[in-house]
């Protein structure tokens, strides 16, 4: 029975049921890596994606995938990469996870190459690597490293298409253009699948599975200006919060330094890796002042804040002095065209300048969620018991930007997300494969359990009056932009939190005017808004609670890092709207832990 | 940017194709008048988003907003393109713009077409690297020159603009692979790491797969990524002919 204009309520008896060994919600890089692993091992696997997989946001990734594959430098060492990542995270990245990612990375990158990923090449025929921010040799002592493996400036596109192709070869089932609404949880707090509907027909289903992976990507659309695709609405995060499980470090949002002014579209850090740099209105290369060693290749949080300071102190460019310039014209057409062809296109389209001739106007843009659904290195989702211990949520996994295995801590280094996707997408797939082989038994969901997961969908479907979705969304985005941006302060956040409560009220009262079944994008957008509010509120509460400045979280009223109180993850549950703390892992298996030091670039 | 500012157009007449097979109504063109911010060159997709605020039932696909995901291929004033990177200033005729779904494919709703035929043709060409040799521990080596052969081929975003502008694809969507799938075929044929070139060429040898392309070049003129399927198809034809000799 497709959802229709009669505003009928759905219940468990009206749903079609499909059953799989493993369901992966998300067809981006992390989802497709998990599904590939499962499909290759012969298990009945489905990828559920609200867009055709190659339309996922991973396709937009430009600069590359960071990994110590020893191509540019035969002496490169994954431990140096680990050091950089720990330092970049401002020391709240979990060192066991970071160790696993940096150590396993090369295998995963070569595997992608064997699948056909068209990496750019060096003269010796090896994978081309470029310099990215925050990369060093020899634990910060040996100068700038070149560690980011690239396919021109279209690495995400190359990676996503290659993984989609490999999944076709492996026989993965694709439920393309299906929207997952909520998790189905049984009486034992185990996850046994999801409620989803086929967007084309509006037909609702219970997708039953022994293992459900959330690989739903980022949520940058909680902000007004973002590099994120319109579909990045934090759906998996919303589902987890509604199911009563927590999220971690949600205050940690990365603002990427170089969003195209007026649009938010990204130009990759690879531009600076190839020798580009930022200038203020006086033509001064201001990063030399803020980060004398690494200059324009300091870590992203540092560069974004420096840019904002230049602008706030009146040295911005343009008639409103509200942006700075990214200079590439000194590199010459050869480098720009060969290494940064996509940037040339974007810059011409959105900034109306040819970077070979003129600098690109840029401002920081919301880019990446370091926080998300807490997991261990096997992708198993964790919840926190009242006494503070970690418990595994049976049946539920998360990977990619939606997850927080916490390799990025307070600030992600460029190129580390793509690596995170493939390493932890695969490890989730591997863990499920082994668990399936050993036999997974989850208790059954009752009809009541299923009805519980239909509450939101029903509320939207039967609404007859109420708030306009687009208006409420734009209110939410403005509020987040204004009160929870690059610089934060207690007063503004308190104000923002009150406004968010109002906005939540409105989201509980939205009106879906168009109730048709067939490809109803208004229904999708209404449901996305219910996820945006969960993510926004988690962000806001945690940001207000973390009374220090660390990584991407910069407070005017608490300008110092406070290791005594906040060398911790924040954990947030939606029902209580309270924040608790979780220990950061300082127990890597094969190396000595890196202890917190003052972070300078 | 300036073109619009100097004409100071503030109201756009948008005519958009509407169809919901479930409604029992025939397809029709809906006319909307939309005020756009003056002095700013917005994209066709921005205009559509504004139209959707007036009428939330208008349906179209979109995701990245920057021309890399391939979601929003549509027919803009008679020409296929991506809504998100087509500036109004380029697309407008006077102050009028007509938006229709990509031609030749079944319409699911409004601007949303059923891409199944298109994707099926893509799947037919085995769009993945085939290499049965023992894999090295590191990367399979490829010279800069070998890698350059993939430029202009691997960048395809599967938007469908080309194939749905191709008359040969309109007439034989199940047999003629179409420019997008053939471009991909050539991408794998050209990859020094692929060991299945012969099998790939075998598959393309019948009368329809490649030879229904008459070099009309519609595909080239609409590809939003500046790719050249016609050239790729000619390369394949050349390889087939050379092989036959
Ligand atoms: C412009 C840009 C450039 C970047 N460049 C780089 C780079 O050079 N290097 C790097 O390492 N990182 C980069 N990043 C970051 C990186 O691209 C992302 O973090 C990463 O791609 C996220 O991948 P993912 O698999 O987690 O999710 P995504 O690729 O976002 O995929 C999410 C998937 O979930 C599905 N989904 C979501 N909600 C639902 C639902 N309710 N129902 C069904 N399906 C759903 C979507 O359809 C989609 O398939 C960049 C990011 C941006 C914005
Ligand atoms: S050149 Fe060939 S593929 Fe391209 S539009 Fe013409 S017939 Fe179609
Ligand atoms: S070749 Fe160009 S027009 Fe055709 S599908 Fe690919 S990107 Fe689109
Ligand atoms: S929205 Fe992605 S190509 Fe236009």
């Amino acid at each position: 029975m497709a959802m229709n204009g009669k505003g009928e309520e759905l219940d468990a008896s009206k749903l079609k049921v499909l059953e799989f060994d493993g369901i992966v919600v998300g067809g981006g890089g992390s989802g497709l890596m998990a599904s590939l692993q499962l499909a290759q091992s012969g298990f009945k696997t489905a990828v559920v994606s609200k867009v055709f997989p190659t339309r996922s946001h991973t396709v937009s990734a430009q600069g590359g995938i960071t990994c110590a594959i020893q191509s540019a430098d035969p002496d490169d060492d994954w431990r140096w990469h680990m050091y950089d990542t720990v330092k970049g995270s401002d020391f709240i990245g979990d060192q066991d996870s970071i160790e696993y990612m940096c150590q396993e990375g090369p295998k995963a990158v070569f595997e992608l190459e064997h699948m056909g990923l068209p990496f750019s090449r060096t003269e010796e025929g090896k994978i081309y690597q470029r310099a990215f921010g925050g990369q060093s040799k020899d634990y910060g002592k040996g100068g700038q490293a070149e560690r980011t493996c690239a396919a021109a400036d279209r690495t995400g596109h190359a990676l996503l298409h290659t993984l989609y192709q490999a999944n076709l070869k492996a026989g993965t089932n694709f439920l393309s253009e299906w929207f997952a609404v909520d998790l189905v949880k049984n009486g034992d707090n185990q996850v046994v699948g999801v409620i989803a509907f086929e967007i084309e027909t509006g037909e609702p289903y219970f997708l039953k599975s022994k293992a459900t992976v959330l690989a739903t990507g980022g949520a940058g659309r909680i902000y007004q200006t973002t590099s994120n695709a319109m579909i990045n609405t934090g759906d998996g995060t919303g589902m987890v919060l509604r199911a009563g499980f927590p999220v971690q470090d949600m205050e940690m949002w990365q603002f990427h330094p170089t969003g195209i002014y007026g649009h938010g579209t990204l130009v990759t850090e690879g531009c600076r890796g190839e020798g580009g740099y930022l200038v203020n209105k006086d033509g001064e290369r201001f990063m030399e002042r803020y980060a004398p060693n690494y200059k324009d290749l300091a870590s992203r949080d540092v560069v974004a804040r420096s840019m904002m300071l230049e602008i706030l102190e009146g040295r911005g460019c343009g008639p409103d002095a509200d942006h700075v310039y990214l200079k590439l014209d000194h590199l010459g057409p050869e480098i720009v065209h060969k290494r940064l062809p996509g940037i040339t296109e974007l810059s011409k389209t959105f900034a109306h300048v040819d970077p070979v001739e003129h600098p690109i106007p840029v401002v920081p843009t919301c880019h990446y969620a370091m926080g998300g659904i807490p997991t261990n290195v096997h992708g198993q989702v964790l919840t926190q018991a009242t006494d503070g211990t970690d418990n595994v949520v049976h049946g539920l996994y998360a990977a990619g930007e939606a997850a927080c295995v916490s390799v990025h801590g307070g600030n992600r280094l460029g190129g580390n997300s793509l690596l995170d996707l493939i390493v932890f997408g695969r490890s989730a797939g591997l863990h499920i494969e082994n668990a399936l082989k050993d036999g997974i038994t989850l208790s059954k969901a009752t009809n009541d359990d299923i009805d519980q997961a239909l509450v939101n969908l029903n509320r939207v479907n039967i609404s007859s009056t109420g708030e306009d979705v687009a208006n409420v969304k734009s209110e939410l985005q403005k509020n987040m932009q204004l009160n929870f941006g690059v610089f934060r302060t207690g007063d503004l956040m308190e104000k923002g939190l009150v406004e968010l409560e109002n906005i939540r009220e409105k989201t509980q009262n939205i009106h879906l005017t168009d109730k048709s079944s067939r490809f109803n994008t208004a229904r999708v957008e209404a449901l996305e808004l219910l996820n945006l509010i969960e993510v926004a509120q988690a962000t806001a509460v945690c940001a207000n609670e973390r009374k220090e400045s660390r990584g991407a979280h910069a407070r005017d009223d608490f300008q110092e890092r406070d290791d005594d109180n906040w060398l911790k993850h924040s954990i947030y549950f939606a029902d209580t709207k309270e924040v608790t703390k979780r220990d950061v892992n300082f127990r890597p298996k094969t190396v000595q832990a890196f202890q917190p030091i003052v972070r300078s670039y | 940017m300036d073109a619009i500012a100097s004409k100071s157009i503030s109201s756009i007449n948008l005519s958009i194709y509407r169809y919901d097979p479930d409604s029992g109504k025939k397809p029709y063109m809906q006319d909307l008048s939309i005020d756009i911010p003056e002095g700013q060159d917005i994209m066709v997709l921005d205009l559509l988003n504004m139209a959707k605020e007036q009428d939330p039932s208008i349906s179209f696909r979109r995701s990245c907003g920057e021309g890399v995901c391939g979601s929003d291929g549509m027919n803009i004033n008679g020409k296929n393109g991506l809504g998100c990177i087509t500036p109004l200033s380029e697309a407008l005729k006077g102050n009028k713009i007509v938006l229709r779904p990509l031609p030749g494919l079944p319409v699911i709703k409004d601007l949303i077409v059923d891409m199944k035929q298109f994707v099926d043709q893509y799947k037919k060409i085995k769009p993945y690297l085939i290499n049965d040799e023992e894999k090295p521990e590191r990367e399979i080596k490829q010279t800069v020159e070998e890698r350059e052969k993939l430029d202009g081929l691997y960048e395809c975003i599967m938007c469908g603009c080309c194939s749905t502008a191709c008359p040969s694809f309109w007439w034989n969507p199940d047999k003629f692979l179409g420019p997008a799938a053939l471009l991909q075929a050539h991408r794998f044929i050209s990859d020094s790491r692929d060991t299945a070139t012969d099998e790939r060429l075998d598959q393309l040898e019948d009368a329809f797969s490649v030879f229904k392309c008459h070099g009309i070049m519609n595909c080239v003129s609409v590809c939003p990524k500046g790719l050249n399927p016609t050239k790729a198809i000619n390369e394949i034809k050349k390889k087939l002919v050379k092989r036959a000799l």
Side-chain angles (χ1 to χ4, degrees), chain B residues 54 144 178 207:
Chain B
Q54 280 188 28
V144 171

Side-chain angles (χ1 to χ4, degrees), chain A residues 57-62 219-232 253-260 263-268 300 346 363-369 401 412 481, chain B residues 63-66 68:
Chain A
H57 189 55
T58 297
V59 82
S60 297
Q62 301 169 351
R221 289 281 151 178
I222 62 169
Y223 288 95
Q224 211 173 9
T225 304
T226 174
S227 63
N228 280 198
M230 285 163 252
I231 59 167
N232 282 19
W253 282 91
Q254 177 165 84
F255 290 81
H256 193 291
T258 53
I260 294 181
H263 199 268
T265 309
L266 195 78
V267 294
T268 175
R300 285 180 183 169
L346 287 174
V363 279
T365 184
C366 170
H367 184 57
Y368 184 85
E401 192 171 339
R412 169 174 76 87
Q481 190 81 21
Chain B
S63 176
C64 71
E66 54 183 48
V68 293

Side-chain angles (χ1 to χ4, degrees), chain A residues 10-211:
Chain A
L10 292 167
D11 61 48
S13 68
K14 293 180 185 142
L15 298 174
K16 289 190 180 167
V17 181
L18 289 178
E19 213 171 326
F20 299 94
D21 293 318
I23 292 178
V24 181
V25 185
S30 59
L32 292 187
M33 197 70 194
S35 63
L36 182 62
Q37 185 65 41
L38 278 177
Q40 281 175 343
S41 56
F43 287 104
K44 191 175 172 200
T45 310
V47 171
V48 182
S49 173
K50 62 181 176 178
V51 296
F52 183 77
T54 62
R55 322 277 187 228
S56 303
H57 189 55
T58 297
V59 82
S60 297
Q62 301 169 351
I65 173 166
T66 302
C67 191
I69 59 161
Q70 303 174 320
S71 171
D73 172 5
D75 297 325
D76 200 9
D77 190 321
W78 67 265
R79 294 169 196 87
W80 301 349
H81 181 197
M82 175 175 176
Y83 166 85
D84 291 341
T85 305
V86 172
K87 177 182 171 196
S89 80
D90 221 347
F91 300 95
I92 59 163
D94 287 328
Q95 299 202 10
D96 57 342
S97 309
I98 298 175
E99 176 189 40
Y100 182 82
M101 176 176 83
C102 296
Q103 198 174 13
E104 289 292 305
K107 228 190 310 172
V109 169
F110 291 133
E111 196 182 321
L112 284 172
E113 195 279 333
H114 296 170
M115 276 180 228
L117 200 155
F119 281 112
S120 301
R121 297 289 167 154
T122 64
E123 288 305 328
E124 305 92 65
K126 295 193 273 188
I127 294 173
Y128 169 74
Q129 293 181 291
R130 60 163 55 108
F132 250 56
Q135 289 176 357
S136 77
K137 300 182 182 189
D138 199 13
Y139 309 103
K141 297 187 292 268
Q144 178 74 45
E146 292 168 1
R147 192 172 289 134
T148 302
C149 312
D153 55 1
R154 303 190 179 94
T155 315
H157 170 279
L159 182 144
L160 188 62
H161 281 253
T162 301
L163 279 174
Y164 174 64
Q165 294 161 350
N167 272 278
L168 285 180
K169 195 174 174 187
T172 306
N173 297 296
F174 285 103
L175 302 180
S176 269
E177 304 197 315
W178 282 52
F179 189 87
V181 181
D182 264 312
L183 297 171
V184 179
K185 210 173 68 163
N186 64 22
D188 299 330
N189 243 358
Q190 301 168 327
V191 171
V192 293
V194 288
I195 300 295
F197 62 89
E198 186 182 20
I199 300 175
E200 178 177 339
T201 57
E203 185 76 45
Y205 285 80
F206 171 25
L207 302 178
K208 227 169 133 178
S209 177
K210 299 194 188 99

Side-chain angles (χ1 to χ4, degrees), chain B residues 63-65 67-72 82 84:
Chain B
S63 176
C64 71
V68 293
C69 79
S71 293
D72 59 341
L82 297 174
C84 63

Side-chain angles (χ1 to χ4, degrees), chain A residues 253-333:
Chain A
W253 282 91
Q254 177 165 84
F255 290 81
H256 193 291
T258 53
I260 294 181
Y261 172 67
H263 199 268
T265 309
L266 195 78
V267 294
T268 175
E269 187 167 296
C271 292
R272 284 170 283 137
E274 297 289 348
Y277 56 84
L278 297 162
V279 295
N280 61 19
K281 76 166 191 267
D282 307 320
E284 182 206 5
R285 183 176 182 181
F286 58 84
M287 280 314 297
E288 290 180 334
R289 252 189 293 123
Y290 295 95
N293 294 321
Y294 288 87
K295 306 188 179 74
D296 294 83
L297 287 174
S299 172
R300 285 180 183 169
D301 53 335
V302 175
V303 180
R305 279 195 292 274
S306 309
M307 291 166 69
M308 289 309 286
L309 285 173
E310 286 301 293
I311 292 168
L312 291 171
E313 286 168 11
R315 291 187 294 277
C317 307
D320 297 325
D322 57 354
H323 55 273
V324 300
Y325 283 132
L326 171 64
K327 238 176 89 66
L328 297 177
D329 49 311
H330 59 288
L331 298 178

